[in-house]
Structure formats: C-alpha cells, structure tokens
C-alpha cells in the first residue's frame, strides 16, 4: 500500500506546481509530473508480486504473469503525453514571442 | 523494496524540479523524474513501457530545452503570496482527502484483478500469433485504440505546425502581390 501513497505524493507535488507557480514552463513541468504519476499508478495496479513480464514462453506457465491490459493502455497514454507536451510548448513559445515573458500574470490580453 | 526507494528518488527530483529557481535546471530535474519512471517500469515488469518512456522522455527534454534556452528570466516573487499558497494547499488537501477514500477500495498491491486480461492471456497466442501480450493487445485486440492514438498524435503535430508558423497564409499572399 505504501507504493500507492508515494505515487499520490508525486501527484500532489505536480498539482501544487500547476496551481501555485506563475511561470509557464514550471506549469508545463507540473503537468508532466502529474502525467508520470498517473501512468505509474496504473502500472502499480497491474503489478503482481513475484510476477514476470507478459511475454509468453512454453517453458513457463501463465499463472504468475502481470496484467498486460493496463500496460497496453499506458503505452498509448505515454505517446499522447509527448504530443500534448509538444503542443503546450509550442503555444508557450508563441506567448513568449508576443509578450516577452513567461509570467502568466503579465499576459494582459488573457485577463477576463 | 527497490520500488519504494525509486519512488522516493522520483519525489525528491520532483521537489527539486518544482522549487529550483533556474529554469534549465528545473527541466533537467524533470528529466530525472522521467528516467526514474523508466526504471520503475522495468522493475514493475513492463519492458515495452520502459523503452517507450526512455525515448519519449528524451524527446520531451529536447522540446523543453528548446523552449527555455536563452530565456532564463528571474522568477517573480511578489503578489498575493499568502492567499495563493493557502488556496493551493487547500486544493491539494481536498484532493488527498478524496484519494484517501478511494484508496480503500483499490485491490491490494501485488494482486491485480485481471478479469479482462484472463481471456487475452489464455487465447492471445493462438488468436494473434504474438508471444508478447502487450503487442497483441495494442495491435490486435484494441487496435482501434491505437488508431485513435495515431489520430491524436498527428492532430497534435498539425497543431504544433500551425501555432509555430511565423507568417499566416493571407499575409504571405499579400506580400507576394
């Protein structure tokens, strides 16, 4: 159970970074940390004690294999995370070119 | 347990990434978190994920360093420090309270439920011919999921190109005339 709690701690650090920091790059880093924590959480749920990787072998039985389904879905999620990060960074670079700052309180046009 | 030690290292690196002043150092510390995650996947018996995470992490670092290099600005400290910190900690505490209630209903660590995966393990080899079960799920049982992933990936690539482009098409046409 301590693994789940440590993983939640990692998520909380990312959440704190996203909510508290005012620099756009720091916010992107916080989003990345949150993404890592969620991926790790799904794989932690799939883990079996003394299990082996989900690759079939004639010499060994399939009883102690870890869960392959969350691994396949997290594989998708990792690649989508890269695409999302690239898009956010592109928008951040454009914001820097237009306003010459990364500080979100200085970007006047976005104020409601 | 090595996974606990690795998680503690990742939490330490994440705190460094959040709290350090220098942006480039912050990005590097985030790389440490991601590479630690790759090792954690390897310990948790997910070798495909470890390879993918390694490649994606390095690409992610290159993109982020491109964004931060030569733009090292001092971080701003003024503003409503007390209000911001209190509100943030309130939200994080609220999240942790909900997580505490959700944690009790999770399966025990090391004993997955595997209600769906049972069929995949039993009939994966004869139905798909792939010895690697992750590959057989990604490329055969749930191939629509992979198609959606490819769609999202290429849409994001189009989005990046559209955002990054210097001159819009209408302006370029006007200059030519």
């Amino acid at each position: 159970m301590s693994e789940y709690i440590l993983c939640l701690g990692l998520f909380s650090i990312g959440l704190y970074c996203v909510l508290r920091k005012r620099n756009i790059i720091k916010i992107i880093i916080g989003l990345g940390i949150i993404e890592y924590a969620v991926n790790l959480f799904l794989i932690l749920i799939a883990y079996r004690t003394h299990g082996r990787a989900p690759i079939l072998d004639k010499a060994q039985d399939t009883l102690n294999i870890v869960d392959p389904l969350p691994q396949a879905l997290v594989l998708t999620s990792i690649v989508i995370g890269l695409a999302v990060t690239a898009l956010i960074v592109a928008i951040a670079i454009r914001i820097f070119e237009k306003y010459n700052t990364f500080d979100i309180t200085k970007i006047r046009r976005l104020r409601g | 347990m090595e996974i606990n030690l690795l998680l503690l290292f990742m939490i330490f690196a994440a705190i460094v990434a959040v709290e350090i002043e220098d942006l480039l150092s912050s990005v590097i510390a985030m790389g440490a978190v991601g590479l630690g995650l790759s090792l954690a996947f390897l310990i948790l018996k997910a070798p495909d994920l470890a390879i993918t995470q390694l490649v994606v992490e390095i690409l992610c670092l290159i993109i982020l360093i491109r964004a931060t290099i030569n733009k090292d600005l001092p971080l701003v400290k003024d503003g409503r420090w007390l209000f911001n910190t209190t509100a943030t900690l309130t939200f994080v505490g609220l999240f942790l309270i909900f997580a505490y209630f959700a944690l009790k209903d999770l399966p025990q660590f090391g004993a997955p439920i595997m209600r769906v995966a049972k069929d995949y393990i039993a009939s994966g080899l004869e139905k798909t011919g792939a010895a690697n079960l992750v590959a057989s799920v990604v490329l055969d049982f749930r191939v629509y999921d992979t198609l959606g992933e490819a769609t999202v990936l290429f849409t994001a690539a189009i989005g990046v190109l559209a955002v990054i482009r210097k001159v819009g098409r209408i302006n370029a046409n006007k200059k030519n005339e």
Side-chain angles (χ1 to χ4, degrees), chain A residues 67-68, chain B residues 113-124:
Chain A
D67 197 346
Chain B
I113 299 173
M114 294 178 75
R115 202 174 295 150
V116 183
K118 220 162 34 188
D119 294 343
Y120 294 160
I121 291 172
S123 61

Side-chain angles (χ1 to χ4, degrees), chain B residues 102-156:
Chain B
L103 212 58
K104 284 191 287 196
D105 292 333
L106 281 176
Q108 200 68 32
F109 178 71
I113 299 173
M114 294 178 75
R115 202 174 295 150
V116 183
K118 220 162 34 188
D119 294 343
Y120 294 160
I121 291 172
S123 61
L125 185 58
E126 59 192 70
K127 274 187 183 167
T128 65
N132 189 342
L133 284 172
V134 175
S136 76
V137 171
V138 164
L139 294 177
D140 203 303
F141 288 116
R142 305 223 164 191
V143 73
Y144 281 121
D145 199 24
T146 312
L147 184 67
E149 173 207 334
T151 313
V152 171
L153 195 62
F154 284 109
T155 314

Side-chain angles (χ1 to χ4, degrees), chain A residues 22 26 36 48 54 56 67 97, chain B residues 18 20 57 78 117 131 133:
Chain A
R22 287 163 57 181
K26 286 270 183 181
Y36 295 156
R48 182 187 291 278
L56 294 174
D67 197 346
E97 280 176 4
Chain B
V18 170
I20 208 164
E57 181 56 42
D78 59 336
L133 284 172

Side-chain angles (χ1 to χ4, degrees), chain B:
Chain B
M1 284 284 284
E2 57 271 67
I3 182 72
N4 279 340
L5 281 177
L6 204 54
L7 269 168
L8 282 176
F9 167 74
M10 282 169 66
I11 287 178
F12 177 71
I15 291 173
V16 170
V18 170
E19 286 303 330
I20 208 164
E21 300 272 316
D22 187 22
L23 275 186
L24 195 57
S25 316
S26 181
V27 169
I28 300 294
M30 186 210 175
V33 182
L35 296 177
L37 181 65
S38 171
L39 276 180
F41 283 156
L42 208 55
I43 291 173
L44 292 171
K45 301 291 187 299
D48 312 86
L49 287 183
I51 297 167
T52 315
Q53 174 67 32
L54 191 66
V55 173
V56 162
E57 181 56 42
I58 288 167
L59 283 177
C60 203
L61 274 188
I62 291 170
I63 293 168
L64 273 172
I65 287 174
R66 163 69 184 82
T68 54
I69 204 144
N70 294 334
K71 289 170 193 166
D72 208 1
L73 304 168
L75 294 180
V76 197
K77 281 272 175 57
D78 59 336
R80 297 173 293 175
W81 189 89
L82 187 68
F83 173 76
N84 285 350
T85 310
T86 324
T88 306
L89 289 181
T90 312
F91 274 110
V92 172
L94 207 63
F95 163 74
L96 284 178
I97 288 170
F98 278 112
Y100 170 73
F101 286 119
L103 212 58
K104 284 191 287 196
D105 292 333
L106 281 176
Q108 200 68 32
F109 178 71
I113 299 173
M114 294 178 75
R115 202 174 295 150
V116 183
K118 220 162 34 188
D119 294 343
Y120 294 160
I121 291 172
S123 61
L125 185 58
E126 59 192 70
K127 274 187 183 167
T128 65
N132 189 342
L133 284 172
V134 175
S136 76
V137 171
V138 164
L139 294 177
D140 203 303
F141 288 116
R142 305 223 164 191
V143 73
Y144 281 121
D145 199 24
T146 312
L147 184 67
E149 173 207 334
T151 313
V152 171
L153 195 62
F154 284 109
T155 314
I158 292 170
V160 168
L161 287 180
V163 170
I164 266 305
R165 192 168 55 186
K166 292 275 184 210
V167 190
R169 191 173 288 158
I170 298 171
N171 282 342
N173 284 344
K174 272 180 191 167
K175 271 179 195 166
N176 286 340
E177 286 164 7

